[in-house]
Amino acid sequence: MEFSGNREKAINLERDESVDAKEEELLKNKLCLKEKVEEEKTMFSIQDAPHNNKLLIGKQSIEDNNNNKPKENLSKKIIDDLVSSPFSSNESLASVSPSSTTGGVGIKRKRRLSHVDKLTLLTEIPTNKSICCAYICLERPVSHEDLIEILRTRVVNHYIRFRSIVSFDYSSFDELDPNQVDIEKHVRYLRVEKNLNYEYTLEEEEELLKSLLSKISFDPLDFNRPLWEMIVVDNCEKLGYVLFLKIHHAIGDGASLAMFFSQFCDQGEEHFKEQIGELVNKKVSASVLNSIKDYAIYKWIVSLLTVLWLVFGFIAVACKWTAEVLRGPDNNIFKSHELSEDKKITWSKNFSVKDVRMVGQKFYKATINDVILNSLAGALMRYNEKYDPKSTNKRLRLSIPVNLRRSVEEFNQLANEFGFMITPLQLTTRDPVKRLKTVKQTMDYNKKIPEPIFAYQFSKLAYILPIFALRLYFNFLAARISAVFTNIFGSNDLMTLNSIPVKNLVVFTPCPSDIAIGFAVLVYNEGIKLSVTADTKVVPSPEELIEYFEYDLEQIISIASSESLH
């Protein structure tokens, strides 16, 4: 019994010592945690420091001497010194902090999202991902090492948004140091499914590629990293070496995607700006006011006309939107089902820009955009007649995004600077020439009123409304829109990547919430293509739309060519 009592005392003593050891270890952990918190407070304190402190960025130290302005209003000169490429005025230097996503400590700056950036995130739903895609086909392979180096030097180092993470509350881009971006994690390799005992034709390879890209186009992006991805498909020998880019719409709009493409290629961003500059200069030189721009009265006249245009334009836009609301939701085959998460993408064959321009010159002085939109209306009409032959509705509405940048200088950063215009299409005639006249009249009226500007300003509701109210508003709007149509300028010239010719380029537009189908037209190397992004539950065979489009466009080109011979 005595032995048993001593043993019990010994056990109790060991327990007390064990408890003391655990308490001591817990105390040490608390002290270590407290020291770590103090270190992080010290690192974060730079954002609360007076504005005359120096901000250390890489090997630079920049001093902000303006003590009266908040950090959001840093001058453009200082901003240009901070980064290699300027950013929009709604982005601001806010903080320097450790990276929580890469596991290391580095530079991170917060830049406020614009209202359109934020909308692309807030209105995203499982059936409608806000992801922009581009299919780039090279004549021959580029090595993995060269591809990684090109992405690093030309893209990640150059564009802030390609090295930024969206904050959890969708309020800002959190910029990382370029060295913190693991580009290897943004590049992956896939292959189309092939029978090794069968030799595929170019057309068959293209169909296999379309099937693969349809499956992966709208897979979610990882929000723990910058919102972009490059997918390489390297077993399409007949087609070429395929690069498939995915970027979230929050990074930029169609114009930004076109600027990225130029910067990604050997020609560089300046090539894109030169060609955009030519388009802008053509519009300016065509203006009557251009003849008096050197006179002092010029600015006064321009200001007066701008004010009058906005005032009367607001009235015209209000009347138009009121009429469209009173018409009620669109009721056609493209609004007939609930949406699914399954999407399909496809694209047309290449048409000559010269031929399409010739059609416009021959009939009603229509633009290239008018001609393409006219043949798209013909395709939608035939598809609607086939799958809903009893329908008496011969009208649907498109949402057409419009770039709001008005000078080359405004193309200095990736951004979302666009409005939209609601465009009704009449699906009443198979005669492409007669239909073109109606399409041109509709587009000419839309161009006369500042609808895209008011739509852009109206979208600032993203800063005011709660999420549920914002989605209700956009669902109300989406019910009155059947499809999205956008046109993107690529390049008039053949581009190269690492001295390898880019054989083919196609872009795809995402569809806003509750819209089943989107169309994008791109001009590249004197060719023009139309792409389709479709919800398979609503439009199970978008290939038919492409066939109808090609037929209608070939028909009007043939008519214009035959009349030109007389």
Side-chain angles (χ1 to χ4, degrees):
M1 295 293 293
E2 185 178 355
F3 176 78
S4 176
N6 290 337
R7 183 184 178 191
E8 186 176 352
K9 289 179 181 179
I11 290 173
N12 289 336
L13 182 61
E14 287 177 2
R15 284 177 178 172
D16 292 341
E17 289 175 352
S18 175
V19 171
D20 291 341
K22 287 182 179 179
E23 288 180 350
E24 185 178 354
E25 184 180 357
L26 183 61
L27 182 60
K28 285 182 179 178
N29 289 339
K30 286 183 177 180
L31 289 172
C32 290
L33 183 60
K34 185 176 180 181
E35 289 175 359
K36 187 175 180 181
V37 170
E38 291 299 323
E39 288 177 3
E40 290 184 353
K41 283 183 178 180
T42 302
M43 297 184 71
F44 277 99
S45 63
I46 190 169
Q47 70 183 34
D48 299 319
H51 290 282
N52 57 2
N53 286 351
K54 292 184 178 181
L55 306 179
L56 298 179
I57 301 176
K59 296 181 180 179
Q60 302 178 20
S61 64
I62 297 104
E63 184 173 0
D64 179 14
N65 295 318
N66 192 345
N67 296 320
N68 298 320
K69 294 184 179 181
K71 280 179 266 189
E72 288 80 2
N73 295 327
L74 291 172
S75 69
K76 187 177 184 301
K77 181 180 184 301
I78 296 177
I79 289 173
D80 289 345
D81 291 337
L82 286 174
V83 291
S84 57
S85 62
F87 49 84
S88 60
S89 59
N90 54 30
E91 296 177 328
S92 61
L93 183 61
S95 67
V96 180
S97 70
S99 169
S100 60
T101 59
T102 60
V105 176
I107 298 171
K108 183 198 281 186
R109 286 168 287 184
K110 291 183 178 292
R111 302 174 186 277
R112 187 186 183 196
L113 269 71
S114 75
H115 60 285
V116 182
D117 299 337
K118 195 171 183 179
L119 275 177
T120 64
L121 294 160
L122 293 176
T123 59
E124 187 175 55
I125 57 177
T127 59
N128 295 73
K129 302 288 196 312
S130 297
I131 299 175
C132 305
C133 303
Y135 153 51
I136 304 166
C137 187
L138 305 180
E139 195 170 271
R140 58 182 184 274
V142 57
S143 72
H144 176 73
E145 293 75 15
D146 287 342
L147 179 60
I148 295 297
E149 183 62 20
I150 288 170
L151 286 169
R152 181 177 301 283
T153 56
R154 296 181 184 177
V155 180
V156 174
N157 290 353
H158 189 71
Y159 293 126
I160 292 171
R161 295 191 175 194
F162 269 79
R163 60 177 187 266
S164 298
I165 298 171
V166 174
S167 64
F168 74 95
D169 60 352
Y170 297 166
S171 64
S172 66
F173 280 112
D174 296 345
E175 183 195 348
L176 303 176
D177 184 89
N179 294 327
Q180 289 182 279
V181 181
D182 188 351
I183 298 179
E184 293 281 355
K185 291 183 178 179
H186 290 266
V187 178
R188 59 184 173 124
Y189 288 76
L190 295 176
R191 290 192 164 188
V192 298
E193 295 183 8
K194 280 187 172 183
N195 183 343
L196 298 179
N197 298 320
Y198 179 80
E199 185 175 350
Y200 291 84
T201 64
L202 186 145
E203 291 76 16
E204 289 171 333
E205 274 194 351
E206 189 169 61
E207 289 306 312
L208 290 175
L209 180 64
K210 288 177 180 178
S211 177
L212 173 64
L213 298 185
S214 294
K215 294 175 183 177
I216 64 175
S217 294
F218 297 98
D219 286 346
L221 295 166
D222 187 352
F223 273 71
N224 292 315
R225 298 198 291 260
L227 296 177
W228 64 274
E229 181 181 32
M230 179 75 76
I231 297 164
V232 181
V233 182
D234 61 357
N235 68 329
C236 294
E237 293 81 8
K238 296 285 197 308
L239 274 176
Y241 199 72
V242 175
L243 305 177
F244 190 67
L245 173 72
K246 295 171 59 178
I247 67 169
H248 198 282
H249 207 324
I251 288 180
D253 53 17
S256 294
L257 187 61
M259 186 167 65
F260 156 83
F261 170 68
S262 190
Q263 173 66 15
F264 178 59
C265 290
D266 300 335
Q267 284 67 26
E269 188 181 276
E270 291 305 317
H271 174 79
F272 168 81
K273 291 179 181 178
E274 286 174 8
Q275 299 206 345
I276 284 293
E278 291 176 5
L279 296 177
V280 172
N281 290 336
K282 283 181 181 179
K283 292 181 180 180
V284 172
S285 61
S287 170
V288 175
L289 291 175
N290 189 54
S291 59
I292 61 168
K293 67 179 181 179
D294 295 328
Y295 294 89
I297 199 174
Y298 172 77
K299 290 184 178 180
W300 185 86
I301 293 176
V302 169
S303 298
L304 177 61
L305 291 177
T306 301
V307 170
L308 292 174
W309 179 63
L310 289 174
V311 170
F312 288 103
F314 173 76
I315 297 172
V317 172
C319 292
K320 178 184 176 180
W321 284 5
T322 301
E324 295 299 338
V325 167
L326 293 176
R327 278 182 176 271
D330 267 8
N331 181 22
N332 53 60
I333 190 67
F334 306 107
K335 306 293 287 186
S336 58
H337 296 87
E338 294 291 327
L339 303 188
S340 70
E341 295 186 37
D342 293 327
K343 308 297 178 185
K344 186 181 284 189
I345 63 174
T346 187
W347 55 89
S348 72
K349 68 180 184 180
N350 204 40
F351 285 89
S352 167
V353 171
K354 183 179 178 180
D355 288 344
V356 177
R357 185 181 291 116
M358 179 264 296
V359 172
Q361 292 171 345
K362 186 68 181 177
F363 301 118
Y364 317 118
K365 296 182 180 179
T367 65
I368 290 176
N369 204 47
D370 294 337
V371 177
I372 296 296
L373 193 56
N374 175 61
S375 290
L376 176 58
L380 293 169
M381 178 191 67
R382 290 177 172 87
Y383 192 93
N384 195 48
E385 288 176 351
K386 179 178 180 179
Y387 289 96
D388 192 10
K390 296 181 180 179
S391 174
T392 58
N393 183 22
K394 300 296 182 181
R395 184 182 188 270
L396 59 77
R397 287 169 283 202
L398 300 181
S399 172
I400 302 182
V402 179
N403 169 49
L404 295 179
R405 301 167 181 88
R406 288 293 176 262
S407 67
V408 177
E409 290 73 21
E410 293 181 72
F411 284 93
N412 282 333
Q413 68 281 324
L414 302 179
N416 283 292
E417 295 186 29
F418 68 93
F420 66 86
M421 52 189 184
I422 298 174
T423 304
L425 289 182
Q426 303 297 334
L427 311 181
T428 54
T429 177
R430 290 178 177 269
D431 183 345
V433 177
K434 185 178 179 180
R435 191 191 321 116
L436 178 59
K437 183 178 181 180
T438 304
V439 168
K440 177 174 169 52
Q441 289 173 345
T442 301
M443 292 300 293
D444 284 350
Y445 174 75
N446 284 345
K447 292 172 186 176
K448 290 176 182 177
I449 62 176
E451 183 178 4
I453 296 174
F454 285 104
Y456 177 79
Q457 296 298 329
F458 205 63
S459 63
K460 289 183 178 179
L461 288 171
Y463 287 143
I464 304 170
L465 296 178
I467 294 177
F468 79 91
L470 194 65
R471 285 178 175 164
L472 283 175
Y473 161 69
F474 273 91
N475 290 341
F476 176 82
L477 185 64
R480 286 153 177 79
I481 296 172
S482 296
V484 174
F485 173 82
T486 184
N487 62 321
I488 299 171
F489 177 79
S491 172
N492 287 326
D493 306 320
L494 178 69
M495 308 289 278
T496 59
L497 179 69
N498 209 29
S499 301
I500 303 169
V502 177
K503 293 170 56 178
N504 201 359
L505 176 65
V506 185
V507 296
F508 305 92
T509 182
C511 297
S513 60
D514 291 336
I515 296 178
I517 190 165
F519 302 94
V521 61
L522 176 82
V523 173
Y524 172 66
N525 192 27
E526 291 300 322
I528 190 166
K529 280 188 177 72
L530 179 76
S531 72
V532 182
T533 303
D535 188 290
T536 56
K537 193 172 181 179
V538 179
V539 186
S541 53
E543 298 86 359
E544 289 185 65
L545 277 169
I546 290 295
E547 290 175 7
Y548 293 145
F549 167 79
E550 290 175 347
Y551 171 78
D552 199 277
L553 186 54
E554 287 170 348
Q555 186 180 25
I556 196 169
I557 288 174
S558 178
I559 294 171
S561 298
S562 62
E563 292 199 7
S564 297
L565 296 175
H566 295 86

